[in-house]
Amino acid sequence: MNKFGFGFLIAAFLFAGYWFFYRGKQEREDLRASSELIQKQVNQVGKLIVTEGYFSKVFTFKNSQSLFLNLWTSDKKALVVVNAKATVEYDLRQLETEINAENRTLILKKIPAPILNIYPEIEYYDVTQDYFNSFGAEDYNKIKNSVTTQMRAQIEKSDLMENAQNRLLAELTNFYILTKSLGWTLMYEEMVIENEEQLELMKR
C-alpha cells in the first residue's frame, strides 16, 4: 500500500471514530434532554384537579315514639331542604411515575382515586314536634348524616364524576402526546399505551 492509500485509510478511520463518538454524544444529550423534559411535565401536573357542582333535594323527616305502654304516640316531623356544593378532586401529587431513560419509557404506576367532598346546607321547614318527642342534637346529626349519604349516592351517578374523569383524561393525554412526540413509550402498570382510546381504561 502506498503512502497515499495508507494516509487515506488513517483519515477514514479517524473520521469514522469521530462520527461514532459525535453521534453517541448527541444521542446521550438528546436522551438527557428528553428525560428532563418528561420529568418537568410530570412535575407540572402535580396539582389538584377540581370539578364543582351544586345539587338540591327535599327530604321529609318523621319520627314517632310510643308512650305510656303504647297507649299514646308522640310524633315529630320536618321538611328538610338541602342545597349542597360538591367537589371532585384528583390529587395528582399522589401520581406515581417511573422514568426509564434507557428504554425511553414513562411508566404510570398509580393514578389517584377521585375524592368526593360534599358541603350540605340544611334548612328546616314545617317543623312539628311534641313536648315528649322534640328535636334534639342527636336528631339533627342523624338528619345531616342521612341526607349526606343520600346526596352522595345521587352525585356519584351524576355528570359531575364523569366531568372530573374527563379532566383527568386530558392530563393523561398530555403525557401520551409528549412521549409519542419524543419517540418514547407510555405505559400504565404493565400495559403499553398505543393510542388515546386506551387512556379511557386508565381512568376507570
Side-chain angles (χ1 to χ4, degrees), residues 1-9:
M1 179 181 297
N2 56 32
K3 293 183 178 180
F4 177 78
F6 183 73
F8 177 79
L9 183 62

Side-chain angles (χ1 to χ4, degrees), residues 15 34 40 48 54 64 70 72 88 99 128 157 173 187:
F15 175 78
S34 58
K40 182 179 179 181
L48 288 173
Y54 296 87
S64 297
N70 297 329
W72 181 29
V88 182
I99 297 177
T128 59
K157 298 178 182 179
T173 301
M187 294 184 64

Side-chain angles (χ1 to χ4, degrees), residues 23-203:
R23 180 182 179 185
K25 180 180 179 182
Q26 187 178 33
E27 287 181 351
R28 288 193 297 272
E29 290 179 349
D30 290 343
L31 180 59
R32 184 174 64 181
S34 58
S35 298
E36 291 176 351
L37 182 59
I38 289 176
Q39 184 63 56
K40 182 179 179 181
Q41 177 69 21
V42 171
N43 294 336
Q44 283 180 341
V45 299
K47 60 185 178 181
L48 288 173
I49 296 180
V50 181
T51 301
E52 293 185 359
Y54 296 87
F55 300 83
S56 297
K57 196 165 185 177
V58 178
F59 300 86
T60 300
F61 175 81
K62 294 181 179 179
N63 177 268
S64 297
Q65 290 186 4
S66 297
L67 304 173
F68 304 112
L69 301 176
N70 297 329
L71 297 177
W72 181 29
T73 300
S74 180
D75 300 324
K76 61 184 173 186
K77 64 179 181 178
L79 186 67
V80 183
V81 178
V82 183
N83 295 301
K85 173 185 175 182
T87 64
V88 182
E89 303 175 353
Y90 284 94
D91 189 352
L92 294 185
R93 293 170 297 188
Q94 298 180 13
L95 179 69
E96 295 183 9
T97 63
E98 178 183 334
I99 297 177
N100 189 327
E102 182 178 352
N103 295 325
R104 296 178 179 267
T105 302
L106 171 62
I107 304 171
L108 304 180
K109 303 178 69 175
K110 177 185 176 183
I111 297 175
I115 302 171
L116 174 58
N117 299 309
I118 302 174
Y119 308 94
E121 293 184 359
I122 303 175
E123 297 181 355
Y124 298 88
Y125 298 91
D126 298 332
V127 178
T128 59
Q129 56 189 335
D130 293 337
Y131 177 79
F132 293 102
N133 188 16
S134 60
F135 282 94
E138 184 179 352
D139 294 307
Y140 294 119
N141 288 332
K142 182 178 180 181
I143 291 172
K144 181 178 180 180
N145 292 335
S146 177
V147 299
T148 300
T149 299
Q150 294 184 54
M151 292 294 288
R152 180 177 294 274
Q154 175 186 344
I155 294 169
E156 287 177 345
K157 298 178 182 179
S158 70
D159 293 339
L160 187 69
M161 301 299 295
E162 184 177 355
N163 292 339
Q165 289 182 340
N166 289 336
R167 294 190 62 184
L168 172 65
L169 179 60
E171 294 292 344
L172 299 179
T173 301
N174 290 336
F175 284 132
Y176 172 74
I177 294 174
L178 178 63
T179 53
K180 187 176 179 62
S181 65
L182 295 174
W184 282 52
T185 299
L186 177 64
M187 294 184 64
Y188 175 53
E189 296 179 339
E190 298 181 356
M191 179 178 67
V192 176
I193 306 301
E194 298 178 342
N195 52 63
E196 294 186 27
E197 285 73 20
Q198 286 181 286
L199 293 173
E200 290 282 347
L201 300 177
M202 297 167 56
K203 69 177 186 178

